[in-house]
Amino acid sequence: MNGRRKAVEVKDLRFSYNGREVLKGVNLEVEEGEFLAILGPNGAGKSTLLKCISGILNCRGVEVFGKPIEEYSRNELARIIAYVPQRTEPGFMTVFDTVLLGRRPYMGLRPSKEDLEAVKRALKRMGISDLALKTTNKLSGGELQKVSIARALAQEPKVLMMDEPTNNLDIKSQLEVMRLAREFSTEGGTSILVMHDVNLALRFAGRFVFMKDGRIMADGGREILKPSLFREVYGVEVDIWEVNGIPVVVPL
Ligand code: ADP
């Protein structure tokens, strides 16, 4: 044992939308300090799994730090898990106020000095301090995505969950977000990201879960990456090369 706590445990998780089962018995344990990337084709159930773990969907079989998720109050859970959705709607609030929403689980009637400091830190970390007074409907898709991540950071969670966080971003911002997720985990937090870009995931994450049709097909480190896995999960033929010690998946 390495003394790390189990941050998330999912036991035989099943979930259906309108009677159609899309998670078909998922088992997963994630420890503090891990950076996990969840991969797999569209419709595999990745987003649904993330929403179950973050308490957005009501599911049975999810424990967070050893306690069933349904036993947490909303505020308690929000201090532990932050979830960044695939898309956020822009609005008429400023960037600063939007990120301040991340402090709601801590706030009294008014934001404290500490709340305001946490917002400033999150804006700075995402490199968007200069956007603080803009309203979110004046932002580009990538900027809005960074606001959404800043809001999650302001929440000061123990587990950071992001659903395809790099989708709207240019390559520099993609790398920044991946570094941030990695730092978050090396600083003792847990990062769980749903990713489409296998190579970006490979470069940064330490563990990979491949899903297909509501089930986990493979779970492990870089050693699980074999052409046969990509054939089975995505139905594509790939070569796996190594560049500077990092595996790179090349579709044929
Ligand atoms: P992924 O993130 O791997 O693309 P999702 O978890 O989004 O997969 O979706 C899994 C399955 O559940 C898909 O078939 C999708 O169409 C279905 N689904 C997702 N969200 C809903 C919803 N709100 N209502 C009904 N079906 C849904």
Side-chain angles (χ1 to χ4, degrees):
M1 289 296 283
N2 55 15
R4 283 178 175 170
R5 289 184 297 171
K6 226 181 275 174
V8 173
E9 184 168 13
V10 174
K11 282 188 227 159
D12 193 30
L13 175 61
R14 291 170 185 277
F15 187 82
S16 302
Y17 293 108
N18 313 319
R20 190 173 141 250
E21 193 168 53
V22 297
L23 295 178
K24 302 174 180 172
V26 171
N27 290 288
L28 182 68
E29 283 186 17
V30 192
E31 286 183 351
E32 277 182 317
E34 280 198 286
F35 181 175
L36 173 71
I38 303 177
L39 299 146
N42 293 327
K46 304 180 297 297
S47 295
T48 304
L49 176 60
L50 219 56
K51 286 180 191 161
C52 283
I53 297 175
S54 53
I56 291 169
L57 293 173
N58 282 330
C59 307
R60 295 219 150 262
V62 178
E63 287 192 0
V64 175
F65 288 98
K67 184 163 126 178
I69 197 163
E70 60 272 19
E71 290 180 14
Y72 285 92
S73 73
R74 280 268 143 217
N75 271 356
E76 251 184 317
L77 194 62
R79 286 186 220 126
I80 298 175
I81 295 187
Y83 164 79
V84 179
Q86 263 180 39
R87 266 179 295 277
T88 28
E89 293 303 319
F92 295 97
M93 269 207 287
T94 64
V95 167
F96 193 94
D97 286 345
T98 306
V99 176
L100 184 61
L101 288 177
R103 298 300 298 173
R104 243 183 342 201
Y106 300 91
M107 257 161 55
L109 281 179
R110 285 158 196 271
S112 65
K113 192 160 168 266
E114 200 182 314
D115 293 323
L116 299 175
E117 288 303 322
V119 173
K120 282 188 204 160
R121 270 198 305 279
L123 291 172
K124 193 162 171 223
R125 189 140 185 202
M126 292 314 298
I128 51 172
S129 303
D130 55 335
L131 300 179
L133 299 179
K134 264 197 173 185
T135 54
T136 56
N137 56 6
K138 300 264 163 60
L139 303 177
S140 72
E143 287 169 339
L144 191 60
Q145 179 70 349
K146 288 184 182 178
V147 172
S148 187
I149 298 173
R151 173 178 165 170
L153 291 178
Q155 222 170 307
E156 296 183 332
K158 292 185 165 59
V159 182
L160 179 61
M161 317 249 291
M162 301 199 265
D163 197 345
E164 297 178 15
T166 56
N167 270 9
N168 274 319
L169 303 178
D170 60 53
I171 191 159
K172 181 166 180 264
S173 302
Q174 287 183 4
L175 294 172
E176 283 167 6
V177 167
M178 295 305 283
R179 283 196 192 103
L180 169 99
R182 186 169 60 190
E183 269 170 35
F184 188 82
S185 63
T186 53
E187 288 163 6
T190 305
S191 293
I192 305 178
L193 270 54
V194 167
M195 296 284 300
H196 260 310
D197 188 331
V198 178
N199 286 320
L200 200 55
L202 269 177
R203 183 161 160 199
F204 288 93
R207 180 176 161 199
F208 311 93
V209 160
F210 284 83
M211 289 184 71
K212 182 185 178 182
D213 195 21
R215 294 190 176 87
I216 292 182
M217 309 293 283
D219 176 358
R222 284 176 179 167
E223 73 284 351
I224 67 169
L225 293 147
K226 306 256 163 52
S228 56
L229 177 66
F230 287 85
R231 197 176 302 130
E232 192 184 6
V233 173
Y234 294 96
V236 293
E237 296 298 322
V238 303
D239 254 351
I240 299 176
W241 297 355
E242 206 171 289
V243 179
N244 297 331
I246 299 165
V248 177
V249 177
V250 184
L252 297 176

